[in-house]
Amino acid sequence: MSDTFYTLRFADETLSLIDQRVLPTTVEYFTCTNSSDVEFAIRDMVVRGAPAIGATAAYGVYFSAKESSSLYESSSPEEFEKAFYATNRFLFDARPTAVNLGWAIERMEKAYITLKGKQIEEILSELLSLADFITEEDVAINKAMGSFGSELIPEGATILTHCNTGALATAGWGTALGVIKTAHRADQSIFVYADETRPRLQGARLTAWELKMAGINSALISDSVAATLIRDGKIDLVILGADRVAANGDVCNKIGTFMLSALCKMYHVPFYSAFPVSTIDFSLATGEQIPIEERDAEEVTHIQGVRVAPTGMNVYNPAFDVTPHEHVTALITEKGVLYPPFDTAIAALKP
Ligand code: MRU
C-alpha cells in the first residue's frame, strides 16, 4: 500500500480502482458497482498487472454472486449457480494471459462450494471477506518477496526493469519493484533503469511515477536502449515480474521480456523474475501452452491518442512473450528464491 494512492479499495459496496489508463498526468479513481464494471476495468486496463487483476476479479465474483442472489431463494440454488458461473466466465474472459485472474475466480468459486446451502446473506458476506483477504494477503506476499529478493541485489547495483511491477500492479508494494523498493530501504545508492515498455508505456507512465515517489535514483529509457547498456556492462541485474509461470520455470511476462533475457544470457547478466506462487500455472508443463493476448492495433498505431502510423497499416500486437527457463537465473517468490532445476523447485510449491 502506498501513502499517497491506492490501487484498489472496496467500501460501501463500491470497488474503486486508480485509473491506470490516465496516470501519471491525471490521478483519478474508476468506480465499479457491478460485475460488468469490473470486467470492463480489467479488459480496458483501468487495472492491470497480474496480482492486481486477481484481487479485482475476486470483487467481481462477489458482485456476480450479489447480482444473482435473488435467484438463490426465490428460484433455486441451481438457477443461482447457472447465472453465477456464467458471469464468472465473463470475468475470466476479460484478459487471457495473467493466470491470477482465473486463480482468484477459482478461489472464490471454491469458497462458494463450501458455503452452499447456507443463507445467501451469509454466502455474500463470506465471499466479500475472502475478496478482502485476497487483497490484504497480496500485500503481505509482496513484502515477503521483497525481503527474499533484496538479498540478491548487490550494494550499489544498477538494475534494469521492464513494465510496471509496483504497487500499481498489485494490491500494494509490488513484486519486482517491491524487491527494488525493499533493497533501496537498505541501500540508497542503487540505480534503476526503467524501460518505457511500448506500446502501453507502463514503464514511462507507471514505473517512473512510482520510482520518483519512492525517491529511487533512476532513469527512463526507451526499450531499445537496454541492449547497449547490457552489452556495455552497465547493468548488474535485470529484475521484472511475471503474468504466468509454467511448471518448468518458463516465464510469460510483458512483451520485450524475452529479448532482455536473451541479452542477459549472452552477456552473463543475472536475470530474475519475481511473482507470487499464485502466478504459477502448475497445469502447464512449459510456456508454449500459455495463451498470449493480442491487443488492439491502435495501441501501436497511436501514442496517447495521436496517430503515428499510416491509416490502414497492418499491426501485430502481442502483449506478452515467453522467456525460456534456461535464460532465468532465479525466480523470486514469497516462499523463497528458486534456483534451477526449476521444475523440481516449482513442484515443491504445489498447493
Ligand atoms: O499488460 P499488463 O500491464 O497487465 O502487464 C503487466 C505485466 O506484464 C507485469 O510485468 C506482470 O503482471 C507482473 S506485475 C506484478
Side-chain angles (χ1 to χ4, degrees):
M1 207 73 63
S2 158
D3 295 332
T4 49
F5 70 91
Y6 58 85
T7 306
L8 69 156
R9 188 169 287 174
F10 190 92
D12 302 328
E13 296 304 305
T14 301
L15 176 67
S16 303
L17 302 166
I18 194 165
D19 193 338
Q20 302 195 32
R21 298 169 303 178
V22 294
L23 282 172
T25 45
T26 309
V27 180
E28 64 187 25
Y29 289 83
F30 179 92
T31 54
C32 303
T33 54
N34 56 52
S35 58
S36 300
D37 292 342
V38 171
E39 190 275 341
F40 172 84
I42 296 172
R43 181 167 39 84
D44 211 47
M45 295 176 66
V46 171
V47 62
R48 33 67 51 204
I53 290 172
T56 301
Y59 289 108
V61 173
Y62 164 71
F63 283 134
S64 158
K66 191 174 144 189
E67 282 150 24
S68 304
S69 60
S70 61
L71 295 170
Y72 192 81
E73 270 143 10
S74 72
S75 191
S76 70
E78 288 71 33
E79 286 301 305
F80 164 82
E81 280 176 21
K82 226 161 59 184
F84 176 59
Y85 289 129
T87 305
N88 297 349
R89 179 75 218 183
F90 168 67
L91 289 167
F92 178 87
D93 288 338
R95 289 192 77 190
T97 302
V99 75
N100 305 62
L101 173 59
W103 168 86
I105 293 172
E106 196 182 314
R107 192 163 170 189
M108 294 289 284
E109 287 181 344
K110 278 191 178 148
Y112 161 71
I113 290 164
T114 67
L115 295 163
K116 223 167 143 169
K118 301 213 186 278
Q119 296 283 330
I120 190 67
E121 292 74 19
E122 186 180 346
I123 293 175
L124 291 178
S125 147
E126 290 292 328
L127 288 180
L128 182 55
S129 300
L130 178 57
D132 289 339
F133 178 77
I134 288 172
T135 305
E136 284 155 25
E137 179 190 53
D138 185 54
V139 182
I141 284 172
N142 292 331
K143 291 281 169 91
M145 220 182 295
S147 47
F148 284 121
S150 58
E151 296 292 318
L152 300 171
I153 301 193
E155 207 183 316
T158 299
I159 303 165
L160 190 140
T161 192
H162 191 64
C163 196
N164 172 264
T165 60
L168 289 166
T170 61
W173 196 243
T175 57
L177 195 54
V179 170
I180 292 171
K181 288 194 288 182
T182 307
H184 176 256
R185 285 196 167 168
D187 172 17
Q188 258 100 79
S189 71
I190 63 168
F191 189 91
V192 178
Y193 283 107
D195 278 354
E196 64 171 347
T197 320
R198 271 287 285 153
R200 295 282 302 207
L201 299 172
Q202 289 94 330
R205 297 188 302 102
L206 311 176
T207 301
W209 192 61
E210 288 200 49
L211 282 167
K212 282 202 75 187
M213 232 177 306
I216 300 176
N217 292 324
S218 51
L220 179 64
I221 52 170
S222 64
D223 298 331
S224 33
V225 173
T228 306
L229 286 173
I230 292 172
R231 184 203 57 195
D232 293 349
K234 302 252 170 70
I235 302 297
D236 296 308
L237 63 117
V238 169
I239 181 166
L240 36 72
D243 290 86
R244 194 184 293 228
V245 176
N248 68 345
D250 289 352
V251 172
C252 179
N253 189 51
K254 180 52 56 194
I255 191 75
T257 298
F258 169 48
M259 192 161 64
L260 289 172
S261 76
L263 285 159
C264 285
K265 180 90 179 160
M266 192 168 173
Y267 292 101
H268 310 290
V269 172
F271 179 90
Y272 302 114
S273 170
F275 52 85
V277 172
S278 56
T279 297
I280 303 173
D281 188 340
F282 294 94
S283 75
L284 296 186
T286 76
E288 269 169 52
Q289 295 108 40
I290 297 174
I292 302 292
E293 176 181 18
E294 280 185 40
R295 295 190 61 87
D296 276 2
E298 207 169 290
E299 290 186 350
V300 181
T301 57
H302 291 64
I303 296 179
Q304 303 292 84
V306 177
R307 175 174 280 286
V308 292
T311 316
M313 184 63 192
N314 292 326
V315 167
Y316 173 50
N317 184 23
F320 302 96
D321 59 28
V322 176
T323 291
H325 62 276
E326 294 89 349
H327 288 190
V328 179
T329 309
L331 300 170
I332 301 157
T333 76
E334 74 274 25
K335 301 285 184 201
V337 179
L338 314 183
Y339 293 96
F342 292 122
D343 51 356
T344 40
I346 287 176
L349 295 179
K350 198 166 174 178

